[in-house]
Amino acid sequence: MTAPALAAEGLQKSFGALEATRSVTLAVPAGGRHAIIGPNGAGKTTLFNLLSGALMPDAGRVLLGGTDVTRDGPDGRARRGLARSFQRNSLFPEMTVAAALMTASAIADGGAAAFWRRFDRDPARADAAAAIAARVGLADQLGALSGNLAYGAQRQLEIGLALATRPSVLLLDEPTAGMSPEETRAMLALLAGLPRTITILVIEHDMDVVFDLAERVTVLDYGAVLLEGTPADIRTSDVVRRRYLGERTQ
Ligand SMILES: Nc1ncnc2c1ncn2[C@@H]1O[C@H](COP(=O)(O)OP(=O)(O)OP(=O)(O)O)[C@@H](O)[C@H]1O
Ligand SMILES: [Mg+2]
């Protein structure tokens, strides 16, 4: 059996007396689409921080393609193909979309050295940036300043910046948060169109997005896995309805 692209085994993390992550185990096969849902404060972002290396667990392991990366920091995990969508405020607001995408790929390729070679004049990198812009729906915005993009387009660019690092595993924390229904549809189409060479774990509150995109869903509650199953399992689960879906349709 091939190892999962991404796995968490018994992850545990406390902040003082608060157990934010309680023995969380999950595995995403290569090419899989797996969603994490759960109420506010359930520990979803904390789990991402443990997976990406931003936080070290108190116990448990993180594996990428079967390799234990628990002791690696964020850079080491990025080198092994893990990417996380950039937070909105870490965009390069003063750069054009093309320059931002080229910068992200240059940094992923080896940082400072790439700057000295004037990567912004490298036609291959420019072509790659244009291809990524097209993939995330920004083909006609290559010359626009990132900071001037509409909100939905900024979030599309965040995905593009993560893609520019050529990840094998992509972590997306609420990619449709704050979006209009139209922007949400565009984001869903973008995510649905990503190639299966990329494994995706996505935190998402919009149940339409979750049920459309994911093959597996993990429900977190008070830091622990309440349930894992197919979208159909989640939809028909009494405990999930009571604890989560019900709360959101009131
Ligand atoms: N660095 C930290 N220090 C102390 N407490 C933290 C820290 N990070 C998160 N927490 C707490 O851990 C719990 C889980 O937070 P987390 O951000 O993981 O939840 P979430 O499921 O992502 O919520 P949301 O849906 O609101 O994004 C919360 O009670 C939060 O206040
Ligand atoms: Mg969160």
Side-chain angles (χ1 to χ4, degrees):
M1 233 174 63
T2 48
L6 174 68
E9 291 179 357
L11 283 179
Q12 196 79 28
K13 182 71 185 178
S14 294
F15 300 113
L18 175 76
E19 284 190 280
T21 306
R22 295 190 291 147
S23 197
V24 170
T25 293
L26 62 84
V28 190
R33 272 86 180 103
H34 192 125
I36 308 276
I37 66 171
N40 292 329
K44 304 180 297 297
T45 297
T46 301
L47 174 62
F48 267 27
N49 287 334
L50 294 169
L51 293 173
S52 71
L55 283 175
M56 286 293 153
D58 300 329
R61 304 200 302 161
V62 176
L63 296 101
L64 282 174
T67 301
D68 188 335
V69 296
T70 316
R71 312 247 163 273
D72 295 346
D75 293 348
R77 295 184 202 192
R79 279 195 294 277
R80 289 187 181 277
L82 185 72
R84 180 180 187 163
S85 63
F86 285 59
Q87 291 299 309
R88 186 174 177 215
N89 59 9
S90 67
L91 285 174
F92 309 108
E94 73 293 352
M95 281 190 194
T96 64
V97 168
L101 289 169
M102 285 191 274
T103 303
S105 84
I107 291 171
D109 281 351
F115 280 89
W116 295 116
R117 288 199 302 272
R118 294 305 307 260
F119 66 83
D120 56 332
R121 306 241 177 102
D122 175 348
R125 207 178 286 286
D127 287 350
I132 289 169
R135 186 170 275 299
V136 299
L138 297 174
D140 56 353
Q141 308 267 9
L142 273 169
L145 283 185
S146 304
N148 290 346
L149 294 176
Y151 176 70
Q154 292 200 358
R155 306 239 38 191
Q156 287 164 238
L157 178 56
E158 277 173 46
I159 309 280
L161 293 173
L163 292 177
T165 68
R166 291 188 298 280
S168 52
V169 177
L170 189 53
L171 305 181
L172 302 171
D173 194 344
E174 300 198 34
T176 71
M179 286 190 168
S180 68
E182 208 169 292
E183 289 172 329
T184 298
R185 270 193 299 278
M187 178 58 77
L188 181 55
L190 185 176
L191 296 179
L194 292 179
R196 288 280 169 168
T197 47
I198 303 176
T199 303
I200 300 177
L201 183 63
V202 56
I203 296 171
E204 183 54 60
H205 277 296
D206 186 319
M207 288 305 131
D208 293 334
V209 175
V210 169
F211 291 141
D212 259 34
L213 195 68
E215 295 118 18
R216 301 290 295 174
V217 182
T218 293
V219 185
L220 282 187
D221 198 30
Y222 295 111
V225 176
L226 181 68
L227 184 73
E228 195 205 302
T230 64
D233 295 336
I234 304 302
R235 215 193 287 265
T236 54
S237 154
D238 284 345
V239 64
V240 172
R241 258 205 245 273
R242 273 200 308 277
R243 286 288 304 140
Y244 185 55
L245 296 178
E247 285 173 25
R248 302 188 63 81
T249 52
Q250 272 162 20

